[in-house]
Amino acid sequence: MEPIDLTPAERRVWRAFPTGTPVDLRDGTDDDPEGGDAWPARRTLRACVLRKLLLSPPVDGEVAALRVAGARVTGALDLKYATVEHPIGLWGCHFEETPVLYGARVRQVNLSGSRLPGLDAATLRVDGVLRLTDCRVTGQVRLGGARLSGVLFLERARLGTADGREEEVLHLNHSVLEDDVWGPGLEALGEVRMNGASVAGVVNLEGAVLRNPGGLVFDGANLTVGSDLNATRARFEGEVNVRGATIPGLLVLTQARLSAPDGCALRTTSASIGEVWFREGRVEGTVNMLRGRFGLLHVPPGAIDGEVWLDGLTYGSLTPRLPAKARIAMLERDAEGYVPHAYEQLAAAYRQAGDDRAARNVLLAKQRQRRATRPWYARLWGYLQDVTVGYGFRPVWAAAWLAGLLVAGTTVFGARHPEPLKPGEQPPFNALFYTLDLLLPIIDFGQERAFKPVGGYQWLAYVLILTGWVLATTIAAGITRTLRRQ
């Protein structure tokens, strides 16, 4: 039965509801919901009337639905713990008070283009989609613990206010979404929280703008995504946190800008992600990737210029292909200083790509960085190893030193022959082969055993013997590594 106290606008909606007929209250003069508080009485609906309709039983032979556009809704639409069998469609409407759907179960909710002071819908159950497309919400959207069978649409929605009155504007903690979170062009002036949420499909934040300077702007700690998290061309002011997240597909930050100059801009600690893309992206602030596990990491030059945390980070491939020097520069900015694992991981990535020379350069840089952490006497020995043989990673240097010492020894001993040990029994002296006998520990030309230098020449012989052992061992190690790779 139709109540007798209905206004003309409410009577239109009441009569259209049983058949789901749309009711459009817009008059084309000023239909922006932002100014809905000034709309005339002919566009006003009381929330209590809408509640009675939504809680009414189904009509036999008809599909009832609330489908209204351009209304000013006065009072609070309170559906707390209710079971609503009818689809809800309130497009381009102005809500004076926050709708309450806490613990409710509904078929479908479409609030596209509406202006709301907030949305209280924690633990909501939606059998279809929840559409907040183009919505303007000045307060909080609370969907913690909600379960949606369909898509959560947030494209071009604007959440929060410029004065930052609400630090948290979207709360999706521990929610279960059996489809996508669709938010291209979303603007959030406060924190977006998806801590512990589960999304079966993709999280699409392409072109989104999220601002919460000095704090968390996106909290996706322990977030589980079935496919990708796409933030192409997005802007984040504040910390983006996906600590412990599981994203088997892509984390796309292509052309994105992440800014937290005085703090952490991106945290992927212990996250498991198939591929991470920074193509044409830019991060201003610290990047914390401790213990992250990535299948592919795409970091072009200049994408990450600030401090990094890399200990325990593992990745299968590193792109684009850059010289080792460019990659080592980022390792040297690690907040923990010398992190051996970071160098070993980078070297492994180069080896997997077949670039053994770059891998050796990385391991050489590792030894040089380690040297700075050693006592002064160890550092001196390190400098000697570096200059002479490049810590064993430069066998060609060792060969050059051998050649130089061979020339020097041949020249010195050729100018003054050492005395024979047994006069009359010695072979003819040859300065070249005598120096080779001193330098090469496993070769015997019979010269060293037949002649004995004295004084300063004896000390020169000792030096040649010692350096020969070191250099020959280095060359042998280099040859061994080359043969092993082949």
Side-chain angles (χ1 to χ4, degrees), residues 357-397:
R357 179 178 179 182
R360 290 195 302 271
N361 288 337
V362 172
L363 295 176
L364 175 58
K366 173 190 172 185
Q367 294 297 329
R368 289 171 174 170
Q369 190 75 0
R370 177 176 177 269
R371 182 174 65 208
T373 68
R374 307 290 290 167
W376 66 269
Y377 51 85
R379 290 200 298 271
L380 289 178
W381 173 242
Y383 280 119
L384 179 61
Q385 287 182 294
D386 193 356
V387 171
T388 55
V389 296
Y391 284 98
F393 296 105
R394 295 288 186 268
V396 175
W397 292 6

Side-chain angles (χ1 to χ4, degrees), residues 206-271:
E206 183 175 354
V209 177
L210 280 65
R211 295 190 177 99
N212 190 26
L216 271 172
V217 67
F218 180 84
D219 184 6
N222 302 310
L223 169 68
T224 300
V225 178
S227 183
D228 307 329
L229 197 165
N230 179 12
T232 302
R233 295 187 300 279
R235 300 293 182 270
F236 298 94
E237 294 183 17
E239 178 180 338
V240 176
N241 177 24
V242 289
R243 173 181 55 83
T246 300
I247 305 173
L250 310 177
L251 172 58
V252 183
L253 296 170
T254 298
Q255 298 180 1
R257 297 293 181 269
L258 288 73
S259 177
D262 299 323
C264 183
L266 176 63
R267 188 184 305 273
T268 62
T269 307
S270 301

Side-chain angles (χ1 to χ4, degrees), residues 270-333:
S270 301
S272 178
I273 306 174
E275 300 182 11
V276 180
W277 288 82
F278 288 95
R279 178 181 293 168
E280 300 180 40
R282 177 78 175 175
V283 181
E284 298 177 8
T286 300
V287 175
N288 187 335
M289 294 188 279
L290 292 173
R291 299 177 300 280
R293 301 178 302 281
F294 308 150
L296 179 144
L297 180 58
H298 180 93
V299 184
I304 301 175
D305 286 335
E307 192 175 61
V308 295
W309 297 71
L310 301 174
D311 197 11
L313 170 66
T314 59
Y315 44 87
S317 301
L318 183 63
T319 58
R321 188 72 57 82
L322 296 174
K325 184 177 181 181
R327 297 300 186 189
I328 292 168
M330 187 169 73
L331 272 55
E332 293 174 345
R333 298 197 306 272

Side-chain angles (χ1 to χ4, degrees), residues 109-461:
V109 180
N110 187 343
L111 301 175
S112 295
S114 295
R115 185 269 184 195
L116 304 93
L119 179 62
D120 185 358
T123 68
L124 172 70
R125 299 293 184 269
V126 183
D127 295 333
V129 304
L130 173 57
R131 189 179 290 273
L132 301 176
T133 301
D134 293 312
C135 275
R136 175 72 173 93
V137 186
T138 56
Q140 295 181 344
V141 177
R142 302 185 186 95
L143 289 166
R147 178 181 288 270
L148 279 66
S149 298
V151 180
L152 172 59
F153 288 99
L154 291 163
E155 67 268 41
R156 300 179 302 280
R158 292 181 294 157
L159 311 179
T161 57
D163 58 10
R165 185 169 65 247
E166 298 290 349
E167 292 184 1
E168 181 185 60
V169 295
L170 177 60
H171 185 101
L172 281 164
N173 284 5
H174 309 294
S175 57
V176 177
L177 299 106
E178 299 176 10
D179 208 309
D180 301 336
V181 174
W182 202 256
L186 169 69
E187 181 179 354
L189 305 179
E191 181 182 349
V192 173
R193 300 194 67 185
M194 298 185 69
N195 194 325
S198 175
V199 181
V202 303
V203 176
N204 188 344
L205 297 175
E206 183 175 354
V209 177
L210 280 65
R211 295 190 177 99
N212 190 26
L216 271 172
V217 67
F218 180 84
D219 184 6
N222 302 310
L223 169 68
T224 300
V225 178
S227 183
D228 307 329
L229 197 165
N230 179 12
T232 302
R233 295 187 300 279
R235 300 293 182 270
F236 298 94
E237 294 183 17
E239 178 180 338
V240 176
N241 177 24
V242 289
R243 173 181 55 83
T246 300
I247 305 173
L250 310 177
L251 172 58
V252 183
L253 296 170
T254 298
Q255 298 180 1
R257 297 293 181 269
L258 288 73
S259 177
D262 299 323
C264 183
L266 176 63
R267 188 184 305 273
T268 62
T269 307
S270 301
S272 178
I273 306 174
E275 300 182 11
V276 180
W277 288 82
F278 288 95
R279 178 181 293 168
E280 300 180 40
R282 177 78 175 175
V283 181
E284 298 177 8
T286 300
V287 175
N288 187 335
M289 294 188 279
L290 292 173
R291 299 177 300 280
R293 301 178 302 281
F294 308 150
L296 179 144
L297 180 58
H298 180 93
V299 184
I304 301 175
D305 286 335
E307 192 175 61
V308 295
W309 297 71
L310 301 174
D311 197 11
L313 170 66
T314 59
Y315 44 87
S317 301
L318 183 63
T319 58
R321 188 72 57 82
L322 296 174
K325 184 177 181 181
R327 297 300 186 189
I328 292 168
M330 187 169 73
L331 272 55
E332 293 174 345
R333 298 197 306 272
D334 198 296
E336 295 183 285
Y338 169 60
V339 179
H341 178 270
Y343 290 88
E344 292 291 341
Q345 173 60 56
L346 180 58
Y350 275 119
R351 281 195 295 266
Q352 183 173 334
D355 195 343
D356 293 316
R357 179 178 179 182
R360 290 195 302 271
N361 288 337
V362 172
L363 295 176
L364 175 58
K366 173 190 172 185
Q367 294 297 329
R368 289 171 174 170
Q369 190 75 0
R370 177 176 177 269
R371 182 174 65 208
T373 68
R374 307 290 290 167
W376 66 269
Y377 51 85
R379 290 200 298 271
L380 289 178
W381 173 242
Y383 280 119
L384 179 61
Q385 287 182 294
D386 193 356
V387 171
T388 55
V389 296
Y391 284 98
F393 296 105
R394 295 288 186 268
V396 175
W397 292 6
W401 278 100
L402 275 177
L405 292 173
L406 179 61
V407 171
T410 301
T411 301
V412 172
F413 290 118
R416 181 173 178 178
H417 297 184
E419 297 295 329
L421 285 172
K422 296 180 180 181
E425 299 181 10
Q426 80 277 11
F429 179 78
N430 188 300
L432 174 63
F433 286 97
Y434 179 74
T435 305
L436 283 173
D437 254 351
L438 295 173
L439 285 173
L440 303 180
I442 59 175
I443 297 178
D444 184 7
F445 291 106
Q447 293 283 314
E448 182 184 359
R449 291 183 288 105
F451 298 91
K452 180 181 180 181
V454 295
Y457 295 95
Q458 186 175 17
W459 284 105
L460 174 61

